[in-house]
Amino acid sequence: MNASLHFSTGAHQQQWSGAAFPAIVMADGSDALADIMATHQTAIDAALAETGAILFRGFGISDADDFDHVVTAYGAENFPYAKSLSNAVRINLTPRVFTANEAPPETSIYLHHEMAQTPIYPSRLFFFCEIAADKGGATPLCRSDMLLSKLDAKNPSLVKRFRERGVRYTNIMPPENDTGSGQGRSWRSTLGVDTHAEAEARLAALCYTGKWLGGDTLKATTPVLDAVRIMPDGRHVFFNQLIAAFRGWADSRNDPSKSITYGDGSAIDPADMALAINIANDISYDLNWQSGDVALVDNFLVMHGRRPFQGKRRVLASLIK
Ligand code: FE2
């Protein structure tokens, strides 16, 4: 099988350092996407490292099993949701494929690197749009290296603080999954435990601090995590969950203003967060899904989110270790 790989030019791509963002591969009617993945993983990975996101359009991928076949053909190791410390409630459909987030349609999921608020995160993300929303529902994508360099140009002392101090995240987890929240995964599911004693042991092993609150909820604070990461090729990225936590970790348990601090416990000025948010918004690219689309995202180089939507929308995800 000699499936061919051709990158196309779309009307609204961004250009960063001479590379189109996202890269686009359009079906030409002859090759199956799984065959392209199996044949061209090296070239796909090279393009992904350069630009950070690739959209595969028109290949007729129709359901979770099709999508699983494509991801499996790509050939990289699975990052299972069940063992992750993700805050999001998700449902596994195949061993490698799960619903992207069960949060309600009107909820925005703000820009983030997947699981950057934990010490364990995937390197790449696959998304598949099974059903495009009637209205809205784009996945904003943001080049994190460009965000950081623009932030550094505007406020170098802020970036210096992020680099030197790192960050800590605090999240209050319910005893059972709360599907009304974008970060409503229960402490039992998040930590993979049943009892308080097991939860405390797992938190200690992860160097988290924890406190039991009323209603059998668990307040957990991470160890100091990096806010800025240096990639193997030398690019610096704003690899963290600050924007999503600051803007979006609001539910019946959580107050976003208390969800993030610098690593030394000092407060992050909301005006500083606003600067980062405004730059990120300015340079985000909205991936407007068509049913059947598959996208591959470099989780270190690119942030993603979810716009609110109307109608039925179903986007599935699969993570690569
Ligand atoms: Fe995500």
Side-chain angles (χ1 to χ4, degrees):
M1 184 84 53
N2 278 314
S4 58
L5 175 71
H6 299 292
F7 291 97
S8 305
T9 307
H12 303 292
Q13 285 162 298
Q14 297 178 347
Q15 295 288 328
W16 297 112
S17 309
F21 173 74
I24 299 174
V25 177
M26 297 291 293
D28 67 1
S30 57
D31 297 323
L33 183 52
D35 293 333
I36 292 175
M37 291 291 178
T39 310
H40 295 288
Q41 195 199 359
T42 305
I44 290 167
D45 285 348
L48 189 68
E50 188 179 20
T51 181
I54 306 174
L55 169 64
F56 300 90
R57 176 160 282 172
F59 289 92
I61 307 303
S62 64
D63 60 22
D65 288 328
D66 260 4
F67 179 42
D68 186 298
H69 189 49
V70 168
V71 174
T72 301
Y74 175 70
E77 188 178 348
N78 187 36
F79 181 103
Y81 165 68
K83 293 206 170 108
S84 77
L85 295 165
S86 166
N87 304 129
V89 178
R90 293 165 169 167
I91 299 165
N92 261 100
L93 301 172
T94 79
R96 295 194 72 141
V97 171
F98 47 80
T99 57
N101 194 313
E102 294 291 299
E106 61 276 13
T107 302
S108 285
I109 298 175
Y110 296 103
L111 289 166
H112 60 282
H113 290 282
E114 194 65 28
M115 301 181 208
Q117 79 284 20
T118 83
I120 311 162
Y121 26 74
S123 68
R124 284 154 283 173
L125 325 169
F126 271 104
F127 294 111
F128 159 54
C129 178
E130 187 173 4
I131 302 168
D134 293 341
K135 197 171 173 204
T139 290
L141 298 171
C142 176
R143 275 281 295 259
S144 191
D145 56 337
M146 298 303 162
L147 165 57
L148 183 68
S149 84
K150 288 175 186 293
L151 189 60
D152 199 25
K154 290 255 189 196
N155 191 339
S157 62
L158 171 61
V159 171
K160 187 164 179 282
R161 282 197 295 282
F162 280 133
R163 286 184 195 279
E164 290 177 354
R165 299 185 195 175
V167 293
R168 299 180 80 186
Y169 304 87
T170 296
N171 183 35
I172 299 172
M173 295 182 271
E176 308 297 338
N177 282 344
D178 171 7
T179 54
S181 165
Q183 62 290 329
R185 194 179 182 195
S186 72
W187 57 263
R188 289 187 173 85
S189 173
T190 305
L191 301 173
V193 299
D194 286 320
T195 67
H196 282 206
E198 288 168 350
E200 288 161 18
R202 183 86 204 281
L203 288 180
L206 292 163
C207 300
Y208 281 52
T209 54
K211 186 177 177 197
W212 296 105
L213 304 178
D216 199 23
T217 59
L218 175 60
K219 178 179 173 183
T221 300
T222 68
V224 181
L225 300 174
D226 286 340
V228 174
R229 184 183 176 97
I230 303 173
M231 311 259 290
D233 65 6
R235 282 182 286 187
H236 292 218
V237 289
F238 197 54
F239 185 81
N240 58 62
Q241 196 84 344
L242 288 169
I243 292 174
F246 179 77
R247 299 189 75 187
W249 284 11
D251 60 20
S252 58
R253 296 167 300 280
N254 287 282
D255 172 355
S257 70
K258 295 183 178 141
S259 65
I260 53 172
T261 65
Y262 287 109
D264 59 7
S266 57
I268 301 173
D269 187 335
D272 288 340
M273 284 307 305
L275 178 62
I277 289 164
N278 287 338
I279 295 170
N281 287 344
D282 281 349
I283 65 170
S284 286
Y285 172 90
D286 267 6
L287 174 49
N288 289 301
W289 294 106
Q290 295 180 11
S291 297
D293 284 350
V294 170
L296 176 59
V297 174
D298 183 319
N299 190 39
F300 295 121
L301 190 55
V302 172
M303 294 183 180
H304 66 279
R306 189 196 75 183
R307 304 273 185 215
F309 62 93
Q310 292 171 16
K312 189 168 165 58
R313 175 192 190 267
R314 192 158 147 105
V315 172
L316 308 181
S318 183
L319 308 182
I320 303 293
K321 194 165 179 181

